[in-house]
Amino acid sequence: MRNVWWIVRRELGSYLRSPAGYIIIFAVLVLDGLLFNAFAIGAGAKKSSEVLEHFFYFSSGSILVGSVFVSMRLIAEERQTGTLALLATSPVAEWQLILGKYVSALTFLAVMTGLTFYMPILVMVNGKVSLAHILAGYFGLLLIGGAALALGMVASALAPNQLVAAVLAATAVVVFLLLWLLSRIASPPIDTLVAYLSLHDKHFRPFMRGIISIQDVVFYVSLIYVSLLVATRVLEARRWR
Amino acid sequence: MIVAEHLTKYYGERAAVDDVSFIIKQGEVVGLLGLNGAGKTTILRILSGLLVPTSGRVSIAGVDLAANPEEVRAHIGFLPEQPPLYPEMTVTAFLAFVARIKGLRKNIAAAVREALEVTDLVAVADDRIGTLSHGYMRRVGIAQAVVHRPPLVLLDEPTSGLDPVQIVHMRKLIRSLAGNHTVIVSSHILGEIHQLCDRILVVKQGRIAAEGAEEELAGKVATATVVKVEVRGDAAQLATVLKGLPLVSRHTVNREAAGVTEATIEMTSDGREALSAAVIRAGLGLRRLERVTLELESIFLELTGGQQPEVRS
């Protein structure tokens, strides 16, 4: 696990030292702030729990966008700059590299999402929502963001450069998002399976309302696990190409 | 130290490395010499563990690379053609990171300091890599390959893109590694291999075309005796003389001016005495006669199949 730790440390340092991390955080915070005022609070009268629900709804969108931008560089950038050769010729197993990269990117995503915390706190202070509702929503954001990040990791491991990685990651995330539409036209039992695989509709909405269900957590954790496993296998396969 | 047996690597239908075997002893500095696309980089990538060969096996210090890849990789330092550097890190932080992921657990600071000193990077130790000149970046590339004190160092085209002064420094640096490391250097620059290496493996179309020290390689090519003569007389007269000598296989007139002809003559064996006697007998003034040895460049061209050997005095 030491190798994972060294990679996490270097990666986090890289987020702090390069402008890309700050730019992503800046963009997401601006987007979230605008949406909070224009969409969550809005013009008409609303219950504070509805405001919070809406906040988590658009925040899930911005964390998905953020995940795509964060994940695109994870492996593809190392491949582009040649530093992947350094890691691949070190006594570091592929799973350690993938896990280290993933943990650091998820930490970055968590910090980025955490910086929006003042918005639900404002709702809590001025309205009638519980801290548990807020924490459940953030937990859901971390899970959906983590799942998109893991999908993006596969894209980044496959792609020759960051642009292709971003396109592949965005496509994968959108496909997983739109599966709920497909489930409406599919016949049983495929419709149930497709609906289950939908990234947002079935599994994220409960978190928006402050409900944590094991089933949803298992879905996201499984998706993350499988994606990271695939990314590991992709890197291993690169040695055989 | 390194035993490579029947290494083959296919990229699709094309064999980039085709049944390559060699042994490299501890402490040797060995050059992989070949034209671009000959398979040098692929061989280094296989030795570094970056690529798995389609068939064949490699063992380094008695450990099989396929069976224990991570253990073997801990004992290798690799500088690819494009140095693997993180521009946002300082030189010191980068080398400490490399030392750690290469498996060094103790005395990291001492190892980094040693690498900085060996590669003459102390002055820029706290600078960000992205702000360094190309020459310094190459040196950081070497430093990352040696910071964990690996027994084996692989350098792929280490001087590519450097200016002449930087090349001299880099060669000195690589030569200085020889005592503590086994070094394999790939290059298509003959002078470099000539100056750096104890032994040369000539790579041609994915195969080892020849191996040995420079003199041994010359012996493999220079089976014919080549002489250069300068006579007072015209080219036709010289041609008549040479026609009468069965040892002469061919000749080329290099220069004919002011009644003096200079020619390069290839003979099947050393017939310099017979040649000089024949020239004098024919009444031509023998101004010069010297045996020509093949230079590394000629050997290289012959062995790599680039062209016929170019003869130089």
Side-chain angles (χ1 to χ4, degrees):
Chain A
M1 288 306 273
R2 268 184 185 163
N3 286 335
V4 176
W5 167 239
W6 297 128
I7 291 168
V8 170
R9 235 177 71 158
R10 200 213 72 75
E11 285 285 311
L12 287 177
S14 153
Y15 286 118
L16 292 174
R17 284 187 291 262
S18 65
Y22 294 103
I23 292 169
I24 294 174
I25 288 179
F26 170 78
V28 166
L29 289 183
V30 167
L31 200 70
D32 275 355
L34 277 172
L35 288 170
F36 182 67
N37 281 292
F39 179 62
I41 295 177
K46 267 183 201 172
K47 286 182 184 166
S48 53
S49 63
E50 282 173 355
V51 174
L52 197 59
E53 213 174 311
H54 286 151
F55 165 76
F56 285 123
Y57 179 72
F58 68 70
S59 290
S60 67
S62 53
I63 202 170
L64 289 176
V65 174
S67 301
V68 168
F69 283 112
V70 170
S71 68
M72 71 178 190
R73 52 172 291 280
L74 290 173
I75 304 291
E77 186 187 34
E78 302 252 12
R79 183 171 291 126
Q80 254 179 308
T81 57
T83 45
L84 195 57
L86 168 66
L87 300 170
T89 56
S90 300
V92 176
E94 277 79 1
W95 70 264
Q96 292 174 328
L97 172 61
I98 293 288
L99 188 62
K101 291 252 171 198
Y102 183 76
V103 169
S104 56
L106 192 64
T107 307
F108 174 79
L109 218 58
V111 170
M112 182 185 82
T113 311
L115 289 173
T116 64
F117 200 64
Y118 71 95
M119 289 183 252
I121 290 295
L122 282 176
V123 179
M124 195 170 90
V125 169
N126 296 300
K128 216 175 169 187
V129 292
S130 68
L131 186 65
H133 184 171
I134 297 173
L135 292 179
Y138 271 104
F139 183 49
L141 283 179
L142 209 58
L143 285 174
I144 195 169
L149 201 61
L151 288 171
M153 180 77 91
V154 177
S156 196
L158 281 169
N161 58 57
Q162 294 185 67
L163 182 66
V164 176
V167 172
L168 285 178
T171 307
V173 168
V174 170
V175 165
F176 270 89
L177 279 178
L178 295 182
L179 283 178
W180 68 276
L181 283 174
L182 195 64
S183 72
R184 292 185 174 186
I185 54 164
S187 316
I190 303 292
D191 61 341
T192 320
L193 178 71
V194 172
Y196 180 74
L197 288 175
S198 172
L199 193 62
H200 192 284
D201 187 57
K202 187 173 165 60
H203 301 291
F204 187 72
R205 287 188 185 277
F207 287 104
M208 283 164 49
R209 295 192 293 272
I211 300 162
I212 298 176
S213 110
I214 292 294
Q215 210 184 345
D216 299 326
V217 175
V218 166
F219 166 76
Y220 286 122
V221 171
S222 309
L223 186 58
I224 291 166
Y225 177 77
V226 171
S227 300
L228 295 186
L229 195 67
V230 171
T232 303
R233 294 286 177 261
V234 168
L235 276 195
E236 285 170 353
R238 290 269 168 182
R239 289 188 197 272
W240 295 86
R241 74 187 189 278
Chain B
M1 177 74 200
I2 304 173
V3 180
E5 292 170 277
H6 307 292
L7 290 183
T8 299
K9 179 71 187 176
Y10 275 91
Y11 291 132
E13 293 290 305
R14 187 177 68 86
V17 173
D18 188 6
D19 196 22
V20 163
S21 300
F22 54 83
I23 296 172
I24 292 171
K25 293 188 206 108
Q26 195 167 349
E28 269 192 304
V29 180
V30 174
L32 282 182
L33 181 65
L35 299 172
N36 287 331
K40 308 183 295 289
T41 297
T42 305
I43 291 173
L44 287 185
R45 285 182 175 173
I46 291 171
L47 295 179
S48 70
L50 195 58
L51 285 180
V52 176
T54 310
S55 63
R57 69 183 276 279
V58 178
S59 72
I60 292 170
V63 184
D64 189 279
L65 181 58
N68 300 294
E70 282 156 33
E71 186 188 339
V72 173
R73 293 204 295 260
H75 296 111
I76 295 173
F78 179 42
L79 171 66
E81 199 174 347
Q82 183 185 2
L85 308 172
Y86 293 106
E88 76 281 0
M89 295 180 92
T90 65
V91 175
T92 303
F94 172 66
L95 293 179
F97 168 71
V98 175
R100 287 181 177 118
I101 61 158
K102 291 283 184 180
L104 213 60
R105 293 286 171 254
K106 285 186 233 162
N107 302 325
I108 305 277
V112 170
R113 203 166 44 245
E114 193 181 308
L116 288 170
E117 281 165 10
V118 168
T119 51
D120 202 13
L121 285 167
V122 177
V124 296
D126 297 322
D127 291 7
R128 282 193 183 192
I129 293 170
T131 64
L132 299 178
S133 71
H134 190 68
Y136 270 120
M137 283 197 192
R138 283 259 149 196
R139 279 198 236 172
V140 180
I142 299 265
Q144 65 79 29
V146 300
V147 67
H148 56 299
R149 304 182 186 108
L152 174 63
V153 179
L154 308 170
L155 308 172
D156 193 4
E157 307 272 0
T159 58
S160 112
L162 297 182
D163 67 35
V165 175
Q166 291 169 334
I167 287 175
V168 171
H169 286 153
M170 182 59 81
R171 285 179 187 162
K172 226 166 120 185
L173 167 58
I174 295 169
R175 203 57 236 184
S176 73
L177 300 177
N180 303 318
H181 311 269
T182 302
V183 183
I184 305 182
V185 186
S186 92
S187 179
H188 62 274
I189 303 166
L190 309 159
E192 189 160 282
I193 293 289
H194 169 63
Q195 288 176 31
L196 287 176
C197 304
D198 307 320
R199 199 150 65 88
I200 303 170
L201 301 178
V202 182
V203 187
K204 176 186 173 184
Q205 290 168 356
R207 288 172 171 267
I208 302 289
E211 66 173 288
E214 191 186 333
E215 303 78 43
E216 290 173 284
L217 293 180
K220 285 176 188 169
V221 176
T223 50
T225 302
V226 180
V227 293
K228 200 174 262 188
V229 292
E230 190 181 287
V231 297
R232 181 161 296 285
D234 59 30
Q237 287 173 302
L238 181 63
T240 312
V241 172
L242 296 178
K243 210 174 268 180
L245 288 169
L247 288 174
V248 173
S249 49
R250 67 173 182 164
H251 80 281
T252 319
V253 174
N254 303 331
R255 191 164 52 87
E256 189 182 4
V260 174
T261 303
E262 189 201 276
T264 303
I265 300 162
E266 279 181 41
M267 294 185 285
T268 48
S269 62
D270 189 0
R272 281 176 289 175
E273 287 161 25
L275 174 64
S276 58
V279 168
I280 292 164
R281 255 201 320 273
L284 303 176
L286 182 61
R287 292 163 62 91
R288 186 160 63 97
L289 187 151
E290 64 177 307
R291 185 171 186 168
V292 175
T293 52
L294 287 173
E295 282 195 338
L296 186 60
E297 194 167 343
S298 309
I299 300 166
F300 171 71
L301 287 170
E302 171 70 1
L303 291 172
T304 55
Q307 279 171 31
Q308 284 295 308
E310 185 189 334
V311 181
R312 289 188 181 177
S313 60

